[in-house]
Each structure stands twice: as structure tokens, then as C-alpha cells.
């Protein structure tokens, strides 16, 4: 959402040995079971090659920082100032993500108005491991209730290259300010109805337009941008998968996820179509890290259970970053209407720093690697669908028939 605007409406350890006609198989619950972290397939016992992860004498992988978190606090310099204040409130927790939005009223502001980005660029450059996240409207008049017919026309123009120069100016400005590694979130919540940059009126043109924006900005010398495709949770006006523009032009798959609609439990937010679990699964299938650029309280009020479960979910799923929307009704520090959830947030995040964490790319179901496959074990091709639900290939020992004759 833009500054000051409230939301509207808003597998499996697998070991098979013995005969072809009798195989022992153990499985874990489906990845769609509520609040269960999907486990990657684990190979059955076998030799580990020298140099493989976990082998004696193998170098330890470099420690990764804990998933970065922060908050949207204010769109301008005041938001930068409040980062240190929020960190103090959280017992000195390291806030590694600064998040703001470009105004979507006119093209000159989408290009990066003078004196708008300087403070954020300075904050980002103070520490090497910080992330600067910038939401970028794809069209001007972004919150003016533009009709579907007009949106479709504008998307076709964008797909044809009419607006390329605006994004080139923005890219050049970010490089010049010394933040060429900015995480960009163009056209966020495109599956909804709030913004002019919505996808629904013409998904094919929207995807072509996204491709032009990314191609244009990547053409600027010195850039290291990452592009975050971020729908809102759930189906909304159109399934967000229909808007996905392609792996070559997406670096991160995000999701804006608030505690809504009224009466929906966190379990339902996980399992609903195009919800939290589908988001994680989709990103894993596309080998992309996930993020939560916007999240927080909403229709269900001061919901301590939501806050506790959402923070646990993110600890399990390890997004690249998350930023809570910290103003009423969503927030926990600047909003005094949510004392219970605020206490949960503060208790669970106080003092967090850069402790080691697992990689941030969700694990997709995959065949176990050859170096740790049991000797004389051959996988059976049962089809992708069966492999998915088993969590890997069914593996059969080729020497089963030798029985007691095996030496």
C-alpha cells in the first residue's frame, strides 16, 4: 500500500530395500498440513563422498545471517529516523530492512522525486548487510479509481514500451545514489482491485509490461537490482499465478499478508487457495526465495494468536526479508490499538541479531542426489505427480534377489 493509505477490503525420508513386490515406505504429512514445515527428501543410508556437505573434513558452509526484518514506518526521512527508535524499543534488535514506496500520483514521482530517496540511500550504505526495499508503481494515477477499460489500454501501452524511459530514469537515479542493489517491488498486489497497476484487466499485457520494466532497469550500467513479484494473499480479483511474468525476470516471490478477512483463522490463511502455503510451494517450484513486504494485523483486531503464528511461520519458512506495516490498524509500535499483539511481537523479536540461519530458498520436492544414493539402488519413474506426494523417487535395490548369497 502507499504511504498513509489503509488497506481497502483489502517430504520424506525414503528407504526402499528388498523385493520388487514388497517395499517399505515411510511418509510425512502433506505439505498442506497446517503449520508444518515441509521437509526435503532425505536419502537412505549410503556412502558420503569426500567434500560433500557433512563429510569428514569438508569445509563448513558459510554462516548466513538470520532472515532480515524491519518495518514500514513512514515513507520519507522520518521513516529513516524511526528505524533506530524501533530498534531501541526491541532491545537493540538489528533492523536490516528499510522499506518505502514511491508516490504513484505522477510519472515524475515514480522516477524518484528529488530529496525523496537520499535519506534511505544513506541509511542503506551505513552497513553492508542492509536491504533497501522500494515499492514502485507501474502506472501513474495509481490510486485514482481508473476503470478496467483504461487500465487495459495503459497496460498495452506499457507492454509496447511507451513508459520505458521513466524506469530508466529511476534505475539511473538509484545507481547514482549508491544503492544499485535495491530490492524493487513493482506493481505490488496486482491481483487486487485497488491500484491502477492491477493485472486483472489484461494479464498478458501486464506480464509483458513487467518484462519491459525489468529489462529496461537491468540495462543501466552498474545496477544489481532484485525484482520482487508480490501479490496479496488469496485469490482476490484474479489468481495471482495468472500474473506471474516468468523466472528470468523475477528474483524473489513475495506476498502481502494481513490478518483478514474477519473471522478467518491463521490455519485458514495457510490453507486457502493462493494462500500462505501455496505461496511457499510456488516459490519452491520456481527456485526463488520468498518475502513478506507487507504484513500485519487488520480485520480481526488485536489478535495475539495471529501475531504469534505469523512470526512462527516466518521463522520456519525463512523469507529473505519481512517488513511489518507499522501504522494503525496494522502496526505494533506506532499503533496503540493493538497492545496484546504488540507485546507478542516485542517479546519474540527483542534483541534479535545476525544469528546463523538456514538458506532462504524454499525446498522443492526433489530426487536425492546421486552421491548419497544407496549402492545398487535404482529409482522408479512413477510420474511427477506420484513423486511429488511421495517426496522423491521410489528406490529399489537391484541386488534384492541375491538374498543370503550376498557377501
Amino acid at each position: 500500500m502507499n504511504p498513509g493509505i489503509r488497506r481497502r477490503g483489502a517430504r520424506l525420508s525414503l528407504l526402499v530395500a528388498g523385493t520388487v513386490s514388497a517395499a517399505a515406505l515411510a511418509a510425512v504429512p502433506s505439505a498442506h498440513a497446517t503449520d508444518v514445515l515441509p521437509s526435503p527428501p532425505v536419502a537412505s543410508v549410503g556412502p558420503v563422498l569426500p567434500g560433500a556437505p557433512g563429510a569428514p573434513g569438508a569445509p563448513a558452509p558459510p554462516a548466513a545471517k538470520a532472515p532480515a526484518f524491519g518495518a514500514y514506518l513512514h515513507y520519507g526521512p522520518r521513516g529513516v529516523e524511526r528505524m533506530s527508535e524501533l530498534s531501541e524499543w526491541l532491545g537493540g534488535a538489528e533492523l536490516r530492512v528499510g522499506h518505502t514506496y514511491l508516490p504513484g500520483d505522477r510519472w515524475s514521482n515514480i522516477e524518484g522525486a528529488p530529496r525523496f530517496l537520499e535519506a534511505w540511500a544513506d541509511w542503506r550504505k551505513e552497513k553492508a548487510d542492509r536491504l533497501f526495499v522500494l515499492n514502485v508503481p507501474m502506472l501513474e494515477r495509481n490510486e485514482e479509481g481508473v476503470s478496467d477499460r483504461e487500465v487495459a489500454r495503459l497496460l498495452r501501452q506499457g507492454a509496447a514500451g511507451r513508459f520505458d524511459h521513466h524506469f530508466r530514469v529511476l534505475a539511473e537515479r538509484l545507481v547514482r545514489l549508491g544503492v544499485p542493489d535495491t530490492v524493487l517491488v513493482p506493481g505490488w498486489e496486482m491481483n487486487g482491485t485497488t491500484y491502477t497497476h492491477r493485472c486483472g484487466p489484461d494479464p498478458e499485457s501486464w506480464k509483458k509490461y513487467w518484462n519491459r520494466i525489468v529489462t529496461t532497469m537491468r540495462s543501466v550500467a552498474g545496477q544489481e537490482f532484485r525484482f520482487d513479484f508480490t501479490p496479496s494473499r488469496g485469490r482476490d480479483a484474479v489468481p495471482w499465478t495468472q500474473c506471474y511474468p516468468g523466472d528470468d525476470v523475477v528474483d524473489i516471490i513475495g506476498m502481502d499478508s494481513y490478518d483478514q478477512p474477519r473471522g478467518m483463522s491463521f490455519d485458514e490463511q495457510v490453507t486457502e487457495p493462493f494462500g500462505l502455503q501455496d505461496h511457499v510451494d510456488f516459490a519452491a517450484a520456481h527456485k526463488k526465495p520468498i518475502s513478506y513486504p507487507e504484513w500485519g494485523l487488520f480485520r480481526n483486531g488485536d489478535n495475539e494468536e495471529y501475531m504469534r503464528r505469523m512470526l512462527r511461520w516466518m521463522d520456519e519458512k525463512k523469507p529473505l526479508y519481512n517488513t511489518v506495516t507499522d501504522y494503525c490498524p496494522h502496526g505494533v509500535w506506532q499503533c496503540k490499538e493493538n497492545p496484546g499483539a504488540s507485546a507478542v511481537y516485542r517479546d519474540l523479536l527483542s534483541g534479535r541479531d545476525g544469528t546463523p540461519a538456514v538458506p532462504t530458498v524454499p525446498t522443492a520436492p526433489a530426487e536425492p542426489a546421486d552421491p548419497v544414493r544407496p549402492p545398487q539402488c535404482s529409482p522408479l519413474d512413477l510420474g511427477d505427480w506420484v513423486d511429488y506426494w511421495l517426496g522423491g523417487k521410489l528406490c529399489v535395490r537391484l541386488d534384492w534377489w541375491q538374498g543370503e548369497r550376498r557377501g
Side-chain angles (χ1 to χ4, degrees):
M1 75 198 68
N2 263 345
I5 302 298
R6 293 192 179 186
R7 295 182 62 80
R8 298 181 222 169
R11 178 195 208 171
L12 156 83
S13 269
L14 179 60
L15 175 60
V16 179
T19 67
V20 172
S21 59
L25 183 63
V28 299
S30 161
H32 287 272
T34 299
D35 230 20
V36 174
L37 178 62
S39 300
V42 178
S44 51
V45 177
V48 179
L49 299 185
K65 281 280 191 178
F69 75 99
Y72 171 74
L73 299 168
H74 185 275
Y75 68 92
R78 186 70 183 107
V80 179
E81 296 169 10
R82 291 173 181 170
M83 293 288 285
S84 60
E85 298 171 28
L86 176 58
S87 175
E88 183 178 354
W89 182 74
L90 287 173
E94 184 181 4
L95 304 180
R96 292 171 49 212
V97 192
H99 187 187
T100 193
Y101 300 71
L102 289 170
D105 55 343
R106 62 187 67 181
W107 280 116
S108 59
N109 284 331
I110 296 174
E111 292 175 353
R115 297 180 299 279
F116 183 81
L117 293 172
E118 281 81 354
W120 287 106
D122 291 343
W123 175 87
R124 161 64 187 93
K125 291 183 289 185
E126 286 176 4
K127 290 189 176 182
D129 63 350
R130 284 178 173 174
L131 294 176
F132 176 43
V133 179
L134 181 63
N135 280 46
V136 181
M138 291 170 66
L139 292 167
E140 64 178 348
R141 298 183 295 146
N142 200 36
E143 296 184 47
E144 296 184 13
V146 177
S147 70
D148 281 356
R149 181 176 179 179
E150 178 67 2
V151 167
R153 186 182 70 84
L154 292 169
L155 291 176
R156 288 193 293 270
Q157 290 180 349
R162 178 171 178 178
F163 309 127
D164 288 2
H165 60 287
H166 298 299
F167 298 97
R168 184 175 295 108
V169 170
L170 173 60
E172 291 169 348
R173 177 161 170 71
L174 291 169
V175 170
R176 191 163 57 248
L177 287 172
V179 285
D181 56 352
T182 297
V183 175
L184 299 163
V185 191
W188 68 98
E189 300 183 11
M190 78 299 295
N191 54 323
T193 60
T194 299
Y195 302 111
T196 303
H197 65 216
R198 62 191 182 270
C199 164
D202 191 341
E204 292 308 310
S205 291
W206 193 94
K207 290 184 284 189
K208 291 176 183 177
Y209 185 23
W210 171 288
N211 273 262
R212 290 206 67 103
I213 291 171
V214 172
T215 300
T216 297
M217 297 189 75
R218 284 179 174 171
S219 72
V220 172
Q223 68 80 31
E224 302 171 19
F225 303 128
R226 284 180 285 181
F227 293 87
D228 191 334
F229 170 82
T230 300
S232 57
R233 196 199 76 240
R235 188 186 189 280
D236 215 324
V238 62
W240 49 263
T241 52
Q242 293 184 10
C243 308
Y244 187 67
D247 289 346
D248 56 333
V249 289
V250 171
D251 301 294
I252 306 160
I253 298 178
M255 177 164 281
D256 289 352
S257 184
Y258 291 88
D259 187 20
Q260 65 168 344
R262 192 180 306 279
M264 176 177 276
S265 70
F266 187 80
D267 289 341
E268 291 171 312
Q269 294 177 31
V270 171
T271 60
E272 68 171 326
F274 308 101
L276 290 171
Q277 187 63 58
D278 282 349
H279 168 230
V280 171
D281 293 344
F282 186 86
H286 291 266
K287 298 179 174 60
K288 305 292 181 181
I290 61 172
S291 70
Y292 299 97
E294 290 185 29
W295 71 277
L297 304 160
F298 197 16
R299 302 291 185 187
N300 296 303
D302 185 17
N303 190 344
E304 297 178 32
E305 178 69 7
Y306 166 83
M307 184 57 62
R308 188 175 293 107
R309 295 285 299 278
M310 188 65 183
L311 288 172
R312 184 194 307 164
W313 177 266
M314 291 188 290
D315 278 348
E316 290 177 348
K317 306 309 178 187
K318 300 294 186 294
L320 180 66
Y321 70 91
N322 81 78
T323 44
V324 67
T325 301
D326 196 53
Y327 58 80
C328 287
H330 315 300
V332 291
W333 177 53
Q334 297 185 124
C335 180
K336 305 307 179 185
E337 297 176 5
N338 303 311
S342 175
V344 171
Y345 184 90
R346 189 179 190 186
D347 179 59
L348 293 180
L349 293 185
S350 283
R352 284 209 181 182
D353 54 14
T355 52
V358 300
T360 58
V361 178
T363 303
E367 179 182 352
D370 286 340
V372 292
R373 179 178 294 153
Q376 303 298 319
C377 182
S378 177
L380 297 180
D381 187 1
L382 302 178
D384 292 342
W385 181 251
V386 174
D387 290 346
Y388 175 84
W389 287 110
L390 288 178
K393 295 285 187 182
L394 187 66
C395 189
V396 176
R397 292 286 296 264
L398 298 181
D399 56 352
W400 65 269
W401 58 273
Q402 295 179 4
E404 296 300 327
R405 291 176 293 177
R406 282 183 293 162

